[in-house]
């Protein structure tokens, strides 16, 4: 059991609370304060012992402690009683606050609590106990008429939205509800409609948007599968794989990430992030890979049949870099499973349960940091739990030693 350390002030207040409430037991006071009742009993006994020592004046022991005068004792008792009343008042405020905020479905303003109880306790005391600024409370209170007007306007808008939603067989979401309101001559912002619907649980029927990143190019020249689902390599810079994945950001928007991975170490040697899926996205990732390796001559690059990879622009780039293309079967994700798994891990470990990033910049920074740490720090099971770069360095050392 961990021993608690109590300050002298706390002990004195605890003793005063018991002494000034003759009808209460030590156990009841101790339970209120959250201390062991035997601990409180010891404090009380020590307090009484000190009082006896002060009253007793033993000449043989030298000059004794002067006996407090009756006025001094009365003054001390008065201060203790005032302190007890103060503590009891604070306790009552906190008790009411716990009841006020507890069990509610919506967030209740602390300022509203102060306003509701100002007559009983006073604004100053309430703000002190709840840790609020009085000036901010008074500004909040002065804005009450405007706030009430907005509330009534929201209620009127909610009533209209409810009618529109019901007439659509509860299928309309905020965009269509907004359009319907504007068609009725009501000038309203779509964000306000979204907020009012969200606060009242009014939801339209919608399907989860499926982001398609693989779109085949009908006129593309067939490319053979040189991998055969073998995503391993004996040495570095011989076999690469790549893919595109979507990165959800903001409110229904996306960025897109193209990666190039070395099959030997799973190192991400090239990547590119953009707000489009044009061929430039995958071309930039392959160029980065060539720069990282100092050239890709003689290497094989494996991908799916997305229009970006089957385009003439990408084929020309591969020819320029001396890269041989390889592609799996159309519509078979298993033929590029290693890249699919890599992207799933990236999003799981960066989003950490969230559905999307707050914005494009936050997304770019998070992905950049993760990719860098993946190469230099994150242990990979395929590498004997070494990071990709560490695995490559160990391989180089072993080759030189041989």
């Amino acid at each position: 059991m961990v021993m608690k350390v109590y300050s002298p002030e706390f002990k004195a207040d605890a003793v005063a609370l018991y002494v000034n409430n003759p009808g209460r037991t030590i156990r009841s006071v101790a339970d209120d304060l959250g201390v062991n009742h035997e601990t409180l009993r010891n404090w009380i006994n020590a307090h009484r012992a000190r009082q006896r020592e002060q009253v007793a004046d033993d000449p043989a022991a030298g000059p004794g402690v002067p006996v407090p005068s009756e006025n001094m004792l009365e003054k001390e008792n008065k201060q203790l009683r005032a302190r007890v009343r103060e503590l009891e008042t604070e306790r009552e405020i906190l008790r009411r606050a716990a009841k006020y905020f507890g069990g509610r479905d919506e967030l209740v303003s602390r300022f509203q609590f102060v306003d509701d109880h100002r007559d009983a306790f006073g604004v100053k005391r309430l703000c002190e106990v709840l840790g609020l600024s009085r000036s901010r409370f008074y500004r909040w209170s002065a804005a009450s008429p405007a706030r009430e007007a907005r509330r009534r306007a929201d209620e009127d808008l909610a009533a209209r939205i409810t009618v529109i939603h019901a007439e659509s067989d509860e299928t309309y979401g905020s965009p269509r509800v907004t359009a319907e309101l504007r068609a009725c001559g009501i000038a309203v912002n779509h964000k306000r409609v979204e907020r009012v619907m969200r606060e009242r649980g009014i939801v339209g029927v919608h399907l989860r948007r499926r982001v398609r990143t693989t779109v085949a190019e009908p006129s593309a020249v067939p490319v053979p599968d040189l991998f055969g689902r073998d995503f391993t390599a004996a040495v570095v810079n011989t076999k690469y794989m790549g893919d595109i994945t979507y990165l959800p950001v903001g409110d229904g928007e996306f960025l897109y990430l193209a990666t190039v991975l070395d099959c030997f170490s799973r190192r991400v040697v090239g990547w590119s992030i953009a707000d489009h899926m044009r061929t430039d996205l995958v071309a930039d990732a392959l160029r980065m890979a060539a720069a990282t390796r100092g050239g890709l001559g003689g290497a094989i690059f494996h991908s799916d049949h997305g229009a970006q990879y089957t385009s003439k622009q990408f084929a020309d780039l591969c020819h320029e870099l001396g890269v041989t293309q390889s592609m799996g079967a159309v519509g078979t994700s298993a033929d590029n499973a290693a890249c699919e798994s890599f992207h799933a891990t990236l999003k799981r470990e960066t989003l950490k349960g969230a559905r999307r990033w707050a914005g494009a910049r936050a997304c770019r920074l998070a992905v950049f940091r993760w990719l860098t740490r993946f190469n230099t720090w994150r242990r990979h099971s395929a590498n004997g739990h070494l990071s990709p770069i560490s695995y490559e360095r160990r391989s180089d050392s072993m080759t030189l030693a041989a």
Side-chain angles (χ1 to χ4, degrees):
M1 181 181 294
V2 178
M3 296 294 293
K4 293 184 178 179
V5 178
Y6 300 93
S7 66
E9 292 80 4
F10 182 91
K11 295 178 182 179
D13 288 339
V15 172
L17 191 60
Y18 170 76
V19 170
N20 288 274
N21 288 271
R24 300 193 62 182
T25 64
I26 292 178
R27 184 179 294 275
S28 68
V29 174
D31 290 342
D32 281 351
L33 298 176
V35 302
N36 185 279
H37 67 279
E38 288 299 331
T39 301
L40 179 58
R41 188 188 305 277
N42 292 336
W43 294 348
I44 294 170
N45 291 338
H47 171 73
R48 287 172 175 169
R50 285 193 300 271
Q51 284 186 325
R52 286 194 296 270
E53 290 174 0
Q54 290 176 347
V55 173
D57 186 9
D58 184 3
V65 178
V67 178
S69 67
E70 188 173 330
N71 289 338
M72 290 175 61
L73 290 174
E74 179 60 30
K75 182 179 180 180
E76 182 180 353
N77 287 336
K78 186 176 181 180
Q79 291 174 344
L80 288 173
R81 286 194 295 270
R83 177 59 177 161
V84 169
R85 287 194 298 271
E86 183 179 348
L87 290 172
E88 290 178 342
T89 300
E90 291 181 2
R91 177 184 168 196
E92 178 63 17
I93 291 173
L94 293 174
R95 185 189 68 79
R96 294 194 187 187
K99 185 177 180 181
Y100 188 90
F101 291 102
R104 299 209 176 190
D105 295 331
E106 60 182 15
L107 179 65
V108 181
S109 170
R110 288 181 294 170
F111 289 147
Q112 188 63 55
F113 175 81
V114 174
D115 194 53
D116 292 344
H117 296 82
R118 63 192 301 173
D119 293 338
F121 300 104
V123 172
K124 181 180 179 181
R125 173 62 62 81
L126 287 164
C127 287
E128 286 176 350
V129 173
L130 296 178
L132 301 176
S133 165
R134 274 190 291 165
S135 59
R136 289 187 61 192
F137 166 75
Y138 286 122
R139 286 198 299 271
W140 175 88
S141 181
S144 180
R147 194 164 50 250
E148 178 61 22
R150 286 196 300 271
R151 188 194 65 79
R152 288 196 299 268
D154 281 352
E155 290 296 333
D156 293 341
L157 180 62
R160 290 178 175 272
I161 290 174
T162 302
V163 172
I164 294 172
H165 190 249
E167 289 177 346
S168 71
D169 293 332
E170 299 183 350
T171 60
Y172 274 12
S174 60
R176 288 188 172 86
V177 170
T178 303
E180 191 70 25
L181 289 167
R182 289 173 178 173
C184 295
I186 302 173
V188 62
N189 184 283
H190 72 280
K191 292 184 178 179
R192 184 184 175 200
V193 175
E194 290 175 4
R195 175 179 58 79
V196 171
M197 292 180 68
R198 182 173 61 252
E199 290 173 350
R200 288 156 180 80
I202 304 173
V203 183
V205 174
H206 61 281
L207 300 177
R208 180 172 294 180
R209 181 179 176 185
R210 185 174 183 271
V211 181
R212 188 182 180 191
T213 56
T214 303
V215 181
E217 173 58 54
S219 61
V221 177
V223 174
D225 182 357
L226 303 178
F227 268 38
R229 300 187 183 179
D230 178 9
F231 303 107
T232 63
V235 293
V236 298
N237 201 24
T238 56
K239 291 174 66 177
Y240 292 94
M241 52 187 172
D243 199 4
I244 301 173
T245 190
Y246 70 94
L247 306 171
V249 298
D251 187 12
E253 300 172 349
F254 297 93
L255 292 179
Y256 300 92
L257 169 69
T259 53
V260 178
L261 281 71
D262 191 314
C263 294
F264 174 75
S265 62
R266 296 299 197 271
R267 180 179 176 179
V268 190
V269 292
W271 70 79
S272 179
I273 302 176
D275 58 0
H276 62 78
M277 286 199 301
R278 296 190 292 273
T279 303
D280 290 340
L281 176 69
V282 296
D284 288 344
L286 192 63
R287 289 192 185 96
M288 179 181 175
T292 300
R293 289 305 194 194
L296 299 176
I300 300 173
F301 177 77
H302 184 80
S303 68
D304 58 25
H305 282 263
Q308 301 85 357
Y309 295 113
T310 57
S311 66
K312 184 178 183 303
Q313 177 186 345
F314 191 74
D316 291 343
L317 176 62
C318 288
H319 179 74
E320 176 188 333
L321 298 175
V323 173
T324 301
Q325 283 190 267
S326 169
M327 291 185 183
V330 176
T332 305
S333 60
D335 287 349
N336 205 20
C339 268
E340 298 273 356
S341 176
F342 169 79
H343 287 154
T345 300
L346 182 152
K347 285 189 275 192
R348 182 175 63 251
E349 295 186 1
T350 50
L351 284 170
K352 297 180 179 178
R355 296 183 65 88
R356 57 186 64 249
W357 285 276
R361 176 171 174 76
C363 174
R364 286 176 182 273
L365 291 176
V367 172
F368 171 77
R369 179 178 183 273
W370 189 90
L371 291 172
T372 303
R373 286 169 60 84
F374 178 87
N375 283 338
T376 60
W377 181 84
R378 189 182 184 279
R379 298 179 183 273
H380 201 294
S381 58
N383 297 338
H385 294 288
L386 293 175
S387 70
I389 289 180
S390 297
Y391 186 70
E392 290 182 0
R393 288 174 178 169
R394 191 187 73 164
S395 175
D396 291 341
S397 300
M398 292 175 66
T399 302
L400 291 173

